[in-house]
Structure formats: C-alpha cells, structure tokens
Amino acid sequence: MTPAPMTPTPVAPPSPPTISVLLADDQALVRMAFRSLLGTMPGITVTGEAANGREAVELARRTTPDVVLMDVRMPVMDGIEATRLITAATASRVLVLTTFDLDEYAFEGLRAGACGFLLKDVVPAVLHEAIRAVAAGDAVLTPRITRDLVDRFARIAPWPHDGAAGTRFGRLTAREQDVFHLIATGLTNAEIARRLFLTEATVKTHITRLLAKLELRDRVQVVIFAYEHGLRTQAP
C-alpha cells in the first residue's frame, strides 16, 4: 500500500527583534506611565530611565538602546543637547517628546539629530508605530507637522544660501530635485508619486539616491537642509 503523503509542518515566521527603549524625562510619573504603556507592547522593552539629559547621554553610551524617547525641558542638561551628543556618539535614534504641537524646542531637537517628535498625549497605537518606524531607520514627522514647522521657522529664520550646500544639491538629477522639493513641503511618498506620475517604489528609489548624494540620514534632514540652506523653491 502506498503511504499517504506527509503534510508539511507549517513554519512560523520569525519574530521581529525586540526594540530596546531608553526613557528620558525629569518627571518620575511620566516615566512610570510610559514604562507601563510600553510594557504592554509586543517586541518593545524599556532598558533604562534617565531623569535628565546628562543621565540620558551616559545611559545611551553605556547601553546603546535602539530608541531614546527624549523629553526636552530637563535639569542639568536639556534634551536638545542630550540628543546632539547621543546621535553623534551612538547608533541610537531619538524621538523628542513635547507637550505642544509646535513647540520651538521640537524643531531644535530635529536640528540636533532627532528622527522626529511625538506629543506626550500620543495614543498607544501611534507611539508603537513610531517606535518601530524609527528603530527601522525611518523618520516620524507627519506631513501636516512638517508643513507647520517649516512655514513657521522659515518666517522667523531666513537662513542664507550656502555655497557648499548648493554644490551638493547640484549633484541631484532634475527628477531627484523635484522629489527633494516635494519632501520639503511635507508630502508623503504616495502624494509625491501622484504629483509626479510615478510609482511609490520609484519615489523611494529617488529618495534613497538623493539622501546618499546630500549625505543626509532621512526626510527630516531633507526638510532642515532645504530651509537652512535657502533651497526652498516652488515645488513642481
């Protein structure tokens, strides 16, 4: 008798790696709330807490967490300087925590190297998604927030043109420059694709190439580069 064919045993997909998070906030109750909230999220673990910027820098250098949730207004050393030191010395990625939607400190945090910012009253699902996105190398800055930030700071900080920046910008192809300007206005990849009649995959390819040519890390740095170096022009 012919034996019945064996049914292959299904193989479960591998679990995503656990993301380590460092909390930096001078209010113990806030840290407790975030630790409790993050403890309910699969694949995320809190590996340390800091009550000021100096402690955050020391812990980040010692433990190299994947993501640092960084408050801004802290004693001893504020979150802006701590962000600058952490991003310069470690591979950790920083998400700035702010109370107000258009806090000027949030923008300074981006200039210091943060990958984006979150409001402290962020809903759990958005917080979870943001942490995972940042840990994967993306930036967290919604189109509306991008537009509000750049409009506000373009009015109060008219940065001069920079010759070296212009030279780097000149390395971009015409299409890459189009994508650059649309990123700087706060459009998503899908919106850019529709505007330029491209696929999202093609837009992502252009973004990868322009980031490499400009020596920038992510789309947040594209926004800051555009406005700090006077490269804000009419988008296509």
Side-chain angles (χ1 to χ4, degrees):
M1 186 173 65
T2 304
M6 297 184 63
T7 302
T9 303
V11 178
S15 300
T18 299
I19 298 170
S20 56
V21 176
L22 169 64
L23 299 174
D25 195 294
D26 63 327
Q27 298 183 48
L29 288 178
V30 172
R31 296 197 306 273
M32 184 184 302
F34 272 103
R35 176 181 280 276
S36 177
L37 179 59
L38 294 175
T40 67
M41 297 179 181
I44 293 179
T45 182
V46 176
T47 57
E49 296 183 18
N52 58 63
R54 182 176 296 170
E55 287 184 7
V57 173
E58 292 172 353
L59 278 172
R61 286 174 172 169
R62 189 162 67 245
T63 64
T64 317
D66 297 310
V67 178
V68 181
L69 291 182
M70 180 74 73
D71 187 25
V72 174
R73 298 181 177 92
M74 294 185 291
V76 184
M77 178 187 292
D78 65 31
I80 305 303
E81 181 61 20
T83 294
R84 186 175 293 109
L85 294 174
I86 288 171
T87 56
T90 76
S92 300
R93 295 172 66 81
V94 177
L95 270 174
V96 171
L97 295 171
T98 181
T99 304
F100 303 104
D101 209 1
L102 280 178
D103 191 331
E104 64 186 85
Y105 292 104
F107 185 78
E108 291 302 319
L110 298 179
R111 295 177 70 184
C115 298
F117 69 91
L118 296 172
L119 299 180
K120 284 189 176 180
D121 62 355
V122 63
V123 298
V126 173
L127 176 63
H128 192 191
E129 181 181 352
I131 291 174
R132 298 204 72 88
V134 165
D138 206 346
V140 176
L141 200 60
T142 66
R144 182 185 65 77
I145 293 298
T146 303
R147 286 188 281 266
D148 288 347
L149 279 171
V150 295
D151 285 345
R152 173 178 175 180
F153 285 93
R155 288 196 300 270
I156 65 174
W159 292 290
H161 288 267
D162 183 297
T167 299
R168 289 160 63 191
F169 185 75
R171 301 173 189 166
L172 305 185
T173 66
R175 182 55 85 198
E176 289 166 353
Q177 290 183 14
D178 289 343
V179 173
F180 174 95
H181 292 307
L182 291 173
I183 292 173
T185 63
L187 268 62
T188 65
N189 288 357
E191 291 170 331
I192 293 172
R194 287 194 295 270
R195 178 76 68 89
L196 298 180
F197 303 101
L198 302 171
T199 65
E200 284 193 57
T202 300
V203 170
K204 291 178 181 178
T205 298
H206 285 312
I207 292 174
T208 298
R209 290 174 178 169
L210 72 86
L211 289 176
K213 290 179 180 180
L214 296 175
E215 302 173 19
L216 301 177
R217 185 185 61 225
D218 52 41
R219 64 196 307 126
V220 171
Q221 290 196 341
V222 168
V223 173
I224 294 173
F225 183 89
Y227 283 81
E228 287 195 330
H229 299 296
L231 293 171
R232 185 188 184 193
T233 63
Q234 184 66 37

